[in-house]
Structures are given as C-alpha cells and as structure tokens.
Amino acid sequence: MNHSLLALAALWLPLAAYCQQPPALSPRNANYQIDVRLNPATRQLDGQETLIWRNTTTDRITELQFHLYLNAFKDQNSTFMRESGGQLRGVEMDKSTNESPYGWINIKSMKRRGSEGRNAESRNAEPLSWQFIQPDDQATDRGNRDDRTVIRVPLSRAVGPGESITLDIAFQARLPKIFARTGYSRDFYLVGQWFPKIGVYEGVGTRYRKTQGGWNCHQFHAHSEFYADYGQYDVNITTPSAYWVEATGLMTGETANRDGTKTLRYRATDVVDFAWTASPHFQAVTDHWKRPGGGVVTLTALMQPEHLNQAQRHLDAAKIALTYFDKHLGQYPFPNLTIVDPPAHASGAAGMEYPTFITAGTVWGLPAGIRAPEIVTVHEFGHQYFMQLLATNEFEEAWMDEGFNQYYEGRIMDEAYGAKTAIVNWLGYRIGDLEFSRDSYVHLDNPAISPAFGNVWQLPDACYGDLTYMKTATWMRTLEGLVGRTVMDEIMQTYFIRWRFKHPNAENFIAIVNELVPKRLGTKFGSDMNWFFRQVLYGDQVCDYKLVSIHNRKPGKGQRSTIRVDRLGDMQLPVEVLVHFSDGHEQLLHWNGQSRSQTFSLTQPTTVQWAKLDPQQKIYLDTNLNNNSLTLNPSSAPAAKFTGKFLFWLQNLMQWLG
C-alpha cells in the first residue's frame, strides 16, 4: 500500500507545525540516524546506526553503556525470561508452531569516528570492543551472566564535559513472536526497543546523584519498562511496498525502490524513544484536535479491518485526553499522535506507549458500554506526559509514571463517562475508574505487603501493578481529597512545568507538595507533608477507620450524645465525621486520626440519628468503607437495592449468552 497520495494532505499541517517548533525543547543528549530494513521472511532487521552522544555533565566519561533490549527474548536464560516465565500480562510466548518465537540483537561492528567528525574517513575510525554486564541481577555472586541486555564500551579517549562522540554501529536483530510488547505475529509487526540504545548518564544533581555521576542502564526486567535520555531521531525504514508503516514522529518522505520495497523517512525530536509498526492490513482513519490556544494535532488510528467501526471511539477518547491534559497539566507539544490497533493474535502488543505513538486494543463487537478502547487510549496517551515529557525512571520509580498516569486516567474517564460508569455501563453493571483503582488496591490479600517505592523488579512478584498503578492512584486521590482539587492541580502543573525534560524523582515531587500546601493552606497539615509520604509511599501502613458507636443520653437539660471512632489500621490521617440530628440539622467533627480511638461528646437539643465517617470520601485509602457509618434507624433498602441490581444484571447476562 503506498502512503504518498493518501498521506500527503494529512502530513502537510503537522509537518508545517513541526518545522516551526523551537530548535530544542529538551537537552537532546543523543542524536540517532538509523537505516533499517525489515525482512518478513526471516523476521529480521538489518540496521546501520550513527549515534552522536553529547556529554552534558562535568564528568569525563571513560565508558559508554547500551541497552540491547531484544536480547531479553534470546532464550530462557535472560533475566526477563527467568522473572516472567515467558509471559506478560497474561499473554504467553507461543511455542506451538515450527517458527522460533525467540528474538535477539547482535552488534556486528562499532566504530568511533575520528576528530574530523561526521565526514571522517574510515582510516580515522577506531574499532571499539564491548562486553556484556549485569548491573542488577544478583542471582549469583557475579550476577546472571547469561543476561545479554546491557553492554559496556570502554573508551581509549574520554569524552570531556560538553564534548560529543560519534559512533557508527552495524547491527542485526530478529524480532520475537509477540507476547511482550514487541515483535511479530503473522504479518503484523510492532517494533519497539529494537536498536542499540544508549543508557542515561546521570551527572551530579540528577535524581539521586549527590556526589558522583554514573550510568543508569538497567537490565530488561519483567516488571519494569524503560528510561532514556532525550534526542533526535532520523530513521529510514525499508519494508515491502504492500505494508502500511507508521512510527514515532512525522514521516518526511517516501521512496519506491526497484526491488518491490519502499523506504519511509521519519524524524522525531525531543523524544526518549522511537518505535514503529508495519502491516499490510491496516485501515487508517484520521481526525484532528484543535488546541484551545491555536494549532492542530493530527490523530491517526491504524485499525484492523474488523475493528474499523470502533476507530472513532479511539479518536474521541484521544481528543478527550488531549483536552483534559492541556487544561489541567500542560500542553502536548507534538503535532501528531498515532494510535495502533493490534490484531487479536498480537494482543501482547496492546496497551503500550512510545513518543507520539501508542498501541490500544479492542475486540470485535465490543459494546459501547464496555469502554476498553477508551480506557487504553486515555491511559497510553497519558504516558506522553509522565514517560515522555517528564521521562521519569520506570525501572526505579514506576509509580511516578504508571501511578500518576493511573490517577489521571481515573479523573479523565470518570469526568467524561461518569464516576460510576466510566469503565463499564452494561446490562445494569456499573463501575467507575478511580473506584476500580481503589478496589484493586484495598482488596489485595495483604495491602501492607510492601511500600511502592523502590526498584520495581524487587517488588513482591504478584503486586507490581497494584502497588505502582492502583495504590499510587488511590493515595494521589487521597492527597487531592485532603488539599482540595484546586491545590492539587497547582501542585501537578508546577511539577510538570518545572521538571519537564529533566528526569525528576520522588524528592522533587514531594518538595513541590511541601512548597505549595503550606503556602495555600497554612499549617492545617503541619509545616510539611512528609508525614503523608512516609506512610503512603515509603511505608506499608494501611488505613482503616471505623465508626464504632452512637449513644444518646438525657442528663437533665438537653441531650448528651457520644460518638466513638477507632483507628484499626496503622496509617494516621486526619478524618471528619458528619453527625445528623433528629431535627434535621448536621454538624461536622474533625479529628487528627492519630490516637487509636476518639470519642466525641455533644450536647444538643435533639438526639443523634446517624453519623458518617469521611462523608466526602476524602480518605480514598480507607480499606473498609462498610464500617464508616452508623444509624440508629437501620433500613434494609440498600441491601435490597443491591440484590435487585445483581439479579437484573444476571438475568440480562444469561439472556445475552443464551
């Protein structure tokens, strides 16, 4: 399928806007020029890469470190395969056919150009050697020596402060059969983490580097994603002519080759990664989102033919997310967004994020009330902010990407589709997005199993998602409940503007909270909010407050009532109690929540009829909401309502299945 005629009009506006961008939004430590050819018969990539890497620190760099991510799929001995067991998110490696499901990447040569730079002759090029290292894996005293996902490259001449080094790298790779993000399935290709990719050299003052700089270049683990520096990518992709190709950034040209292939040229700037997809079956649907301040973002949904009628669901969800983030966090600076719909047989590639390029996922005939396409689109688009524009370290602090993003997914979905219907509104069954995050966390077998802070691959095996996504979204919603939506938005906007393109860490975020909460709310929560983060982020405390009893006594004149609240968990948060009296008036009581029990004594003309703990549900972390209220006039109505709803849902489900 030829891009040229179909894509020319759609490309013009975003390409013009792209060319008008400022020269650099980010530091652009790494500039990649890559020529890659896909051979569908062998599932292989042949690549030539030129990397210009700039040392933006004050250190003298005597070695480089690179990720070779595709070697995670080399065999069963890689750290990724040992940790994952050959499956990810419920999708297993398919070994049922004669075709090998494994993938790999080999560097054929690496040379350092001479002092004459880009036009240096070959005689000035210095061949470089490399060795595999295992910086994380301590399976033995010397690590898992079978892991091949990181290399170190010693340099005979150091790269000084402000200097650049130019490398020419020839590589070959075989794509794995898709089960974990990248690879092939039949004639569908999702090509991610596919080239030799330089790690991040963190200078003093970057994240946790207090006194000495160093490389941050982790192995590919089962429970982590990626961390990279900003750069510019100029990539030429050659595929069979029948394939539709899309990639990170913008297509700047296309050439038809005499051998039945075509070469497409892409450019992406101020990005941390580059991914692409190819298939002869894509159906492209385009739309546009107009920025409130002017300008247009071109949206492209690459759909499977059987899902074509759901394209607008993806596009509308993307526009909702763009509008929300633009208003509540900051501007999306790129002129385009590509949404890839993988086929059912490549479901392992669904739900993944790369700069300006995300994968979603749906199934044939999905009802409008089951909002899987919308959820995945909103969530993966949100990563454009936390993974891309802030580029937090997902190996070490995944909660700063996945958790923050899960919180915003909940806000966006609940506002757009209803707080009780955002995820499902079908056959009488309803559930909202933020409440789903909370339910996932509080219904862990042991919510105190581990803090969310720390290296992700060292979290308890089955709790990565609940701790990094769901718990973080829940305590973020609790922080919002305590400080209010207005202050919360100011915190997040300040964080985004101050730290975009700078690799922030937990301390940077907490410092902004500690700056703005006292400024806007005084000493309501003390001099800072460190007490909050010690519990929800660095600690494993669990929140559970219980409204224990209501007693009315008449001691003569007036009515004396007592209300007792207990703290059953070890987390200490300020809570409120709403008291309703028999004459209809109400009173809101406040407690710092620190002692094990608190008894309120009230003298009023009338008796207390009922009381409710945390009436506005500010404390979203409370693991048991069923013990948060008491009434002296119990009613069976709520139970009857729930039972009726369940029977209604069950009846409709049986009719649908029958």
Side-chain angles (χ1 to χ4, degrees):
M1 185 180 300
N2 192 298
H3 264 98
S4 301
L5 294 178
L6 293 173
L8 186 59
L11 275 172
W12 172 247
L13 282 176
L15 185 58
Y18 190 78
C19 294
Q20 293 171 5
Q21 288 188 44
L25 299 173
S26 72
R28 292 190 193 169
N29 304 60
N31 284 355
Y32 291 90
Q33 298 175 24
I34 307 176
D35 293 301
V36 61
R37 175 181 287 265
L38 170 66
N39 184 337
T42 62
R43 314 295 192 181
Q44 289 189 7
L45 305 175
D46 287 290
Q48 296 287 333
E49 172 182 328
T50 296
L51 168 65
I52 304 173
W53 182 79
R54 183 165 58 97
N55 177 11
T56 58
T57 75
T58 58
D59 296 344
R60 294 179 72 255
I61 309 301
T62 58
E63 75 170 37
L64 305 177
Q65 292 188 10
F66 284 82
H67 296 284
L68 299 180
Y69 284 120
L70 282 181
N71 281 340
F73 307 98
K74 183 179 179 66
D75 53 38
Q76 293 295 321
N77 296 320
S78 73
T79 296
F80 176 89
M81 294 296 285
R82 289 184 182 186
E83 292 175 349
S84 69
Q87 67 84 32
L88 189 69
R89 298 185 295 191
V91 181
E92 296 184 3
M93 175 179 275
D94 182 4
K95 302 179 183 178
S96 63
T97 64
N98 293 328
E99 189 172 18
S100 171
Y102 294 101
W104 43 260
I105 179 170
N106 288 331
I107 295 178
K108 299 166 67 176
S109 67
M110 181 183 295
K111 297 179 181 180
R112 178 179 186 173
R113 291 191 184 178
S115 59
E116 297 176 30
R118 294 182 54 78
N119 297 317
E121 297 180 9
S122 59
R123 67 176 182 271
N124 295 321
E126 175 192 359
L128 299 177
S129 61
W130 58 89
Q131 65 185 93
F132 293 105
I133 59 173
Q134 300 81 30
D136 309 325
D137 199 325
Q138 300 302 317
T140 68
D141 290 342
R142 298 183 62 185
N144 173 17
R145 288 180 291 177
D146 293 322
D147 190 79
R148 296 291 185 267
T149 58
V150 179
I151 60 170
R152 64 180 292 268
V153 183
L155 301 175
S156 61
R157 290 177 289 117
V159 184
E163 293 181 351
S164 296
I165 183 173
T166 301
L167 304 178
D168 290 308
I169 305 170
F171 68 95
Q172 190 174 59
R174 186 185 192 277
L175 296 170
K177 193 166 186 181
I178 289 174
F179 77 96
R181 307 183 181 96
T182 186
Y184 74 91
S185 182
R186 301 177 192 172
D187 54 4
F188 169 82
Y189 293 85
L190 196 287
V191 188
Q193 307 303 332
W194 53 280
F195 57 93
K197 185 177 180 184
I198 197 163
V200 179
Y201 189 87
E202 297 177 330
V204 173
T206 303
R207 299 184 67 251
Y208 297 104
R209 303 283 181 176
K210 304 297 184 184
T211 60
Q212 185 177 1
W215 285 100
N216 194 302
C217 195
H218 292 291
Q219 294 161 240
F220 194 170
H221 292 276
H223 292 313
S224 63
E225 291 186 12
F226 313 108
Y227 175 50
D229 257 333
Y230 292 94
Q232 175 172 300
Y233 289 79
D234 289 284
V235 181
N236 297 328
I237 303 170
T238 300
T239 69
S241 297
Y243 281 61
W244 187 287
V245 177
E246 291 288 353
T248 294
L250 286 168
M251 190 179 78
T252 60
E254 178 179 350
T255 301
N257 305 316
R258 292 182 177 179
D259 60 357
T261 66
K262 62 182 178 182
T263 300
L264 299 102
R265 295 179 290 281
Y266 282 87
R267 167 167 285 192
T269 60
D270 302 305
V271 297
V272 296
D273 206 353
F274 187 98
W276 53 283
T277 188
S279 170
H281 304 298
F282 284 134
Q283 298 290 312
V285 181
T286 60
D287 203 342
H288 298 87
W289 176 76
K290 295 182 179 179
R291 300 184 194 275
V296 173
V297 174
T298 297
L299 309 175
T300 301
L302 289 184
M303 305 300 296
Q304 300 302 312
E306 65 270 23
H307 301 158
L308 190 59
N309 64 347
Q310 296 186 49
Q312 201 60 44
R313 293 178 64 174
H314 294 79
L315 294 166
D316 289 344
K319 287 189 280 187
I320 288 169
L322 278 158
T323 301
Y324 198 93
F325 276 107
D326 185 88
K327 178 180 179 181
H328 293 283
L329 199 60
Q331 186 181 82
Y332 176 71
F334 304 109
N336 68 317
L337 176 71
T338 299
I339 306 165
V340 180
D341 170 41
H345 55 81
S347 61
M352 192 55 198
E353 69 277 2
Y354 299 95
T356 77
F357 177 101
I358 63 176
T359 65
T362 188
V363 295
W364 179 87
L366 190 71
I370 300 178
R371 299 196 172 93
E374 291 83 359
I375 292 168
V376 179
T377 302
V378 168
H379 184 91
E380 302 309 330
F381 174 77
H383 283 299
Q384 300 300 311
Y385 285 79
F386 303 107
M387 173 277 298
Q388 156 60 26
L389 295 174
L390 288 160
T392 47
N393 189 330
E394 292 188 64
F395 288 101
E396 300 174 13
E397 296 180 296
W399 61 273
M400 297 192 74
D401 174 57
E402 298 292 1
F404 283 8
N405 196 35
Q406 187 70 23
Y407 164 70
Y408 273 96
E409 175 201 308
R411 284 181 51 165
I412 294 168
M413 291 296 297
D414 286 356
E415 183 171 306
Y417 302 102
K420 296 295 182 182
T421 55
I423 290 181
V424 177
N425 184 15
W426 185 63
L427 298 180
Y429 184 74
R430 299 178 177 87
I431 188 168
D433 199 298
L434 275 172
E435 69 175 340
F436 178 78
S437 293
R438 178 191 168 275
D439 285 347
S440 299
Y441 159 64
V442 303
H443 288 117
L444 280 170
D445 290 339
N446 178 15
I449 191 169
S450 170
F453 184 82
N455 294 330
V456 179
W457 66 91
Q458 294 173 330
L459 293 176
D461 187 46
C463 300
Y464 158 70
D466 290 315
L467 291 174
T468 58
Y469 292 67
M470 306 308 186
K471 181 179 180 180
T472 304
T474 303
W475 70 247
M476 287 282 284
R477 170 61 177 78
T478 299
L479 180 61
E480 176 196 316
L482 293 174
V483 305
R485 173 63 69 86
T486 300
V487 175
M488 188 69 176
D489 280 348
E490 185 179 3
I491 288 169
M492 297 308 295
Q493 288 166 354
T494 303
Y495 168 65
F496 174 72
I497 292 169
R498 191 176 295 178
W499 284 101
R500 57 188 167 184
F501 304 117
K502 296 178 183 176
H503 303 310
N505 66 1
E507 294 174 357
N508 305 137
F509 174 72
I510 293 170
I512 290 172
V513 176
N514 287 339
E515 171 191 335
L516 291 176
V517 171
K519 183 183 292 186
R520 301 297 176 229
L521 302 175
T523 59
K524 179 178 180 180
F525 299 109
S527 59
D528 58 48
M529 296 292 288
N530 290 339
W531 58 269
F532 179 80
F533 292 102
R534 278 195 296 269
Q535 300 180 90
V536 303
L537 177 60
Y538 300 112
D540 57 12
Q541 289 88 336
V542 173
C543 178
D544 184 13
Y545 287 94
K546 178 180 181 179
L547 207 157
V548 177
S549 63
I550 300 172
H551 294 292
N552 291 308
R553 298 181 181 87
K554 193 169 184 180
K557 292 184 178 180
Q559 186 73 40
R560 187 170 184 270
S561 303
T562 58
I563 299 160
R564 177 181 153 194
V565 182
D566 285 358
R567 177 170 61 82
L568 304 183
D570 50 358
M571 185 177 290
Q572 301 177 14
L573 298 175
V575 295
E576 298 171 336
V577 180
L578 180 66
V579 181
H580 182 88
F581 295 90
S582 57
D583 65 356
H585 84 278
E586 296 179 344
Q587 184 175 349
L588 188 65
L589 309 175
H590 301 269
W591 177 37
N592 63 21
Q594 295 178 5
S595 61
R596 277 294 177 183
S597 184
Q598 172 71 21
T599 299
F600 297 94
S601 296
L602 306 173
T603 301
Q604 297 285 343
T606 57
T607 59
V608 173
Q609 194 172 55
W610 55 258
K612 186 173 184 179
L613 184 69
D614 190 26
Q616 297 180 334
Q617 205 169 353
K618 297 178 180 179
I619 312 302
Y620 222 58
L621 281 162
D622 194 327
T623 57
N624 185 3
L625 301 181
N626 292 326
N627 62 12
N628 282 15
S629 60
L630 278 177
T631 179
L632 298 182
N633 299 301
S635 170
S636 62
K641 180 179 179 181
F642 177 81
T643 302
K645 180 183 289 188
F646 176 78
L647 291 174
F648 173 77
W649 178 83
L650 182 62
Q651 180 183 24
N652 280 275
L653 178 62
M654 295 303 294
Q655 290 176 351
W656 181 72
L657 292 174

